[in-house]
């Protein structure tokens, strides 16, 4: 069972105030009953086809017999290496489920050639690929499917024996699966991507990887009866805390999970909350893997720990459902539609426009500091100065977003000192990991610093960056590609697509007049090391 408790009087008072209004309007029962009119006339049409997540703990049980047969067949054929090809809501929930269950799952939610080549080279003979896309037209997923089709065929393996497709009925991917003879699982259509954790999108790859998905549904179903109640309703309690705090100016959601047995839940919450609430100049910014600054605009929510103003306890299946319900409630309080993502398409359209050009418009760097080229309107003469300039540019109530279009596993290739112990190995990994930049910059400011791997974050916090409060400062990192991956049937490589995605998103951010700088690493390994060293000089 899920329990939400308030650990701070101010939060409890704000939550109680808004919860009283919600109960007076009959919101708990109306939301639990799937009333699409809650978010206003403009949002009603979208909400009417996006509330199926409320009954998934029961309706998804229909999948269990099919999943059992699918898993049995895969095990009989020795297919133990499960690769999930999907973006955003199609990848983040299975990643959390499998990390928590301690079962291996390779998630490909990247266009980075090095990271894709890493997956392609791993255990092909025992690989089964789950291709997941609600729309069936996601460009990254299309590329990965084409690449796996080719590599299986070249290895003398029938793609039809190795590919499982999860998509909505009527999508282009459904027809592709039928034409290719792939195992096809159709998802329920009235569930949006980021609310799909307990649907086929979350369950199919997780079951294949070895997670107990029936237990996940059991834990979620235990919560269902509570969600229509006016009191003792964990979804209402959490939603009132999130929305009430945001209305009071505490719109930075610092997620704390160091003591939790659930692994990686904040990454999933980040997408759910940021993409659902970041629009019309409003929103709640989740801050992941960060120590709190204890500033006026922070709300610390802890998963199974007393380190926050709000504590959320309970198993993963219940957490999924309660956070989804709470996000819908927070959207109601912020007076936005929590089920659309109006700004996500901008960067996609920019990317498509750039890919149609003979050459990408790279321009000339403003400054070069060793293996790092700096693009953007900067006044400083070296990289430490540029980083300091960006930190100073963060406005009151604002944040810095670091966005890295790189291989997020590259740090594991870092050379290790001979005879290194685990602590030394961890230090070596950290100093080869671009994500370490977030921590190095965070200790030099009292404003939130977020970090996202591109293009993964485009399906997550990318909506907040463009639709939320316009107080962000943006640092983008790209890197030279030494060994590219062609995309069969497409006139571009993964490397070109990745760079076009970065440039397209940067253009979208720049139109909003916020400070934005791109750092291009002409050599990735030395570039990351140089960048981290520069951050330590700030």
């Amino acid at each position: 069972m899920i329990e939400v408790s308030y650990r701070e009087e101010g939060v409890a008072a704000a939550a109680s105030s808004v919860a009283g209004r919600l109960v007076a309007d009959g919101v708990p029962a109306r939301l639990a009953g799937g009333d699409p009119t809650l978010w206003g006339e403009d949002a009603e049409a979208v909400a009417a086809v996006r509330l199926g997540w409320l009954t998934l703990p029961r309706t998804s049980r229909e999948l269990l017999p099919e999943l059992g047969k699918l898993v049995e067949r895969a095990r009989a054929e020795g297919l133990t290496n499960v690769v999930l090809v999907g973006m955003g809501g199609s990848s983040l929930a299975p990643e959390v489920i499998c990390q928590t269950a301690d079962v291996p799952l390779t998630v490909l939610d990247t266009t980075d050639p090095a990271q894709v080549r890493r997956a392609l080279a791993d255990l092909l003979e025992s690989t089964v690929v789950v291709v997941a896309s609600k729309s069936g037209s996601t460009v990254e997923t299309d590329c990965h499917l084409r690449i796996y089709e080719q590599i299986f065929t070249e290895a003398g393996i029938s793609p039809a024996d190795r590919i499982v497709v999860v998509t909505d009925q009527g999508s282009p991917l459904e027809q592709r699966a039928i034409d290719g003879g792939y195992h096809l699982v159709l998802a329920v259509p009235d569930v949006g991507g980021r609310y799909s954790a307990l649907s086929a999108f979350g369950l199919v790859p997780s079951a294949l990887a070895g997670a107990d998905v029936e237990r996940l549904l059991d834990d979620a179903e235990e919560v269902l009866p509570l969600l229509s109640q006016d009191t003792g309703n964990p979804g209402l309690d959490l939603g009132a805390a999130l929305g009430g705090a945001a209305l009071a100016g505490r719109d930075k959601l610092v997620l704390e999970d160091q003591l939790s047995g659930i692994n990686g839940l904040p990454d999933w919450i980040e997408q759910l909350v940021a993409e659902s609430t970041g629009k019309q100049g409003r929103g709640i910014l989740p801050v992941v893997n960060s120590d709190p600054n204890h500033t006026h605009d922070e709300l610390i929510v802890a998963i199974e720990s007393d380190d926050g103003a709000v504590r959320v306890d309970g198993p993963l299946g219940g957490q999924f459902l309660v956070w989804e319900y709470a996000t819908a409630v927070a959207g109601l309080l912020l007076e936005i539609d929590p089920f659309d993502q109006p700004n996500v398409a901008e960067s996609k359209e920019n990317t498509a426009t750039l890919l149609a050009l003979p050459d990408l418009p790279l321009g000339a760097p403003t400054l070069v500091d060793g293996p790092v080229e700096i693009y953007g309107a900067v006044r400083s003469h070296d990289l430490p100065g540029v980083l300091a300039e960006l930190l100073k540019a963060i406005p009151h109530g604002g944040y810095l977003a670091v966005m890295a279009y790189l291989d997020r596993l590259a740090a594991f290739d870092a050379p290790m000192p001979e005879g290194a112990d685990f602590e030394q190995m961890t230090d070596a990994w950290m100093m080869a990991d671009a994500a370490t930049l977030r921590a190095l910059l965070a200790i030099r400011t009292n404003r939130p610093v977020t970090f996202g791997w591109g293009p993964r974050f485009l399906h997550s916090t990318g909506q907040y960056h463009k639709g939320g409060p316009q107080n962000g400062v943006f640092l983008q990192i790209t890197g030279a590609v030494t060994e590219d991956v062609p995309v069969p049937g497409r006139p571009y490589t993964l490397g070109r697509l990745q760079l076009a995605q970065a440039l397209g998103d940067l253009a979208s951010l720049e139109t909003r007049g916020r400070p934005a700088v791109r750092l291009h690493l002409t050599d990735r390994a030395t570039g990351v090391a140089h960048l981290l060293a520069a951050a330590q000089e700030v």
Side-chain angles (χ1 to χ4, degrees):
M1 194 62 73
I2 297 291
E3 182 180 352
V4 175
S5 53
Y6 306 143
R7 324 292 290 186
E8 186 183 300
E9 286 186 12
V11 170
S16 176
S17 174
V18 296
R21 286 170 26 212
L22 294 169
V23 168
D25 290 339
V27 168
R30 290 171 64 194
L31 175 53
D35 182 351
T37 66
L38 277 170
W39 298 272
E41 187 176 334
D42 292 343
E44 184 176 349
V46 173
V49 292
R50 286 292 179 268
L51 290 169
W53 52 272
L54 286 158
T55 57
L56 284 176
R58 292 179 182 143
T59 58
S60 284
R61 292 184 185 279
E62 298 171 9
L63 283 171
L64 295 177
E66 181 181 1
L67 288 180
K69 292 175 183 176
L70 186 60
V71 170
E72 186 178 350
R73 193 196 81 187
R75 296 294 180 268
E77 295 176 6
L79 303 181
T80 55
N81 182 45
V82 183
V83 176
L84 171 59
V85 167
M87 301 298 297
S90 298
S91 64
L92 288 164
E95 192 167 56
V96 177
I97 294 167
C98 291
Q99 286 178 356
T100 301
D102 196 23
V103 294
L105 176 71
T106 297
V107 175
L108 268 189
D109 55 358
T110 180
T111 46
D112 186 78
Q115 194 170 332
V116 172
R117 281 191 292 104
R118 189 186 300 273
L120 295 173
D122 189 32
L123 303 171
L124 190 66
E125 287 298 321
S126 58
T127 292
V128 56
V129 179
V130 179
V131 180
S133 170
K134 180 176 177 61
S135 69
S137 58
T138 308
V139 64
E140 299 93 338
T141 307
D142 173 72
C143 290
H144 297 147
L145 174 55
R146 290 170 178 273
I147 290 166
Y148 265 105
E149 286 174 332
Q150 182 180 69
I151 196 172
F152 280 138
T153 301
E154 289 176 348
I157 299 169
S158 170
D161 295 335
R162 299 300 189 87
I163 294 175
V164 177
V165 169
V166 183
T167 191
D168 278 7
Q169 186 169 14
S171 81
L173 187 55
E174 180 195 14
Q175 189 58 52
R176 184 111 165 252
I178 293 169
D179 293 343
Y182 305 144
H183 188 107
L184 174 64
V185 181
L186 291 175
V188 289
D190 58 345
V191 177
R194 58 188 177 274
Y195 291 81
S196 65
L198 298 171
S199 76
F201 289 105
L203 303 186
V204 171
S206 302
L208 277 169
D212 184 350
V213 296
E214 185 172 5
R215 173 66 185 273
L216 197 73
L217 296 176
D218 290 343
D219 290 338
E221 191 168 6
E222 277 193 26
V223 180
L224 270 182
L226 304 178
L227 298 184
S228 59
Q229 297 180 180
D230 293 343
T231 59
N233 179 338
L236 177 66
D237 293 342
L238 181 57
L242 298 179
L247 290 173
R250 297 175 69 171
D251 60 354
K252 308 302 187 298
L253 172 61
V254 180
L255 294 162
E256 165 61 55
D257 75 331
Q258 291 183 23
L259 299 179
S260 172
I262 300 173
N263 294 326
L265 186 61
D267 286 334
W268 176 82
I269 295 171
E270 179 181 46
Q271 187 219 9
L272 174 70
V273 172
E275 195 171 33
S276 296
T277 68
K279 53 200 76 166
Q280 299 175 27
R282 280 163 262 166
I284 298 169
L285 176 68
V287 185
V288 178
N289 297 323
S290 179
D291 293 328
N293 292 307
H294 301 290
T295 51
H296 69 283
D297 55 349
E298 284 184 346
L299 175 70
I300 305 168
V301 176
I303 311 297
E304 300 185 339
S305 137
D306 286 330
D307 292 339
V310 180
R311 173 171 176 156
V312 186
D313 289 282
L316 181 56
Q319 293 270 1
F320 280 144
L321 191 59
V322 164
W323 278 98
E324 288 165 350
Y325 186 105
T327 300
V329 169
L332 177 59
L333 291 169
L334 293 173
E335 299 182 349
I336 53 90
D337 178 355
F339 305 114
D340 68 351
Q341 49 280 332
N343 301 106
V344 168
E346 281 185 46
S347 295
K348 293 180 181 179
E349 292 164 1
N350 289 349
T351 297
T353 300
L354 290 171
L355 285 173
L357 300 175
D359 297 296
L360 295 179
L362 300 176
T366 308
L367 175 68
V368 177
D369 189 325
V372 180
E373 297 175 342
I374 295 116
Y375 295 81
V378 297
R379 297 183 300 275
S380 303
H381 302 295
D382 59 16
L383 187 52
V386 169
L387 297 176
E389 199 175 317
L390 286 171
L391 291 172
K392 290 177 184 175
I394 304 173
H396 178 76
Y399 65 98
L400 171 65
V402 182
M403 308 161 294
Y405 289 79
L406 301 169
D407 175 2
R408 66 174 168 141
L409 303 178
F412 294 111
D413 296 332
M416 292 292 156
E418 189 173 345
D421 58 24
F422 181 73
E423 186 175 344
Q424 291 171 317
M425 292 169 68
T426 301
D427 289 343
W429 286 327
M430 286 185 61
M431 295 317 296
D433 187 355
T436 301
L437 181 63
R438 191 213 62 76
L440 292 175
L441 295 178
I443 61 175
R444 289 161 170 82
T445 177
N446 68 349
R447 300 311 309 146
V449 180
T450 66
F451 184 93
W453 294 105
R456 166 184 170 133
F457 78 87
L458 292 178
H459 301 259
S460 174
T461 50
Q463 167 63 39
Y464 183 95
H465 292 166
K466 293 175 276 289
Q470 293 304 298
N471 55 13
V473 173
F474 302 95
L475 175 61
Q476 185 185 88
I477 309 169
T478 56
V481 173
T482 55
E483 191 175 345
D484 214 337
V485 176
V487 180
R490 291 287 184 254
Y492 49 78
T493 62
L494 285 184
R496 179 178 168 87
L497 172 59
Q498 182 186 40
L499 188 53
Q501 289 176 311
L503 296 175
D505 190 49
L506 194 62
S508 188
L509 294 170
E510 287 174 340
T511 61
R512 288 163 169 78
R514 300 307 311 161
V517 170
R518 178 168 75 95
L519 307 181
H520 184 71
L521 313 181
T522 53
D523 178 280
R524 292 191 178 204
T526 58
V528 167
H530 191 75
L531 178 56
L532 298 184
Q536 291 173 306
E537 294 180 27
V538 174

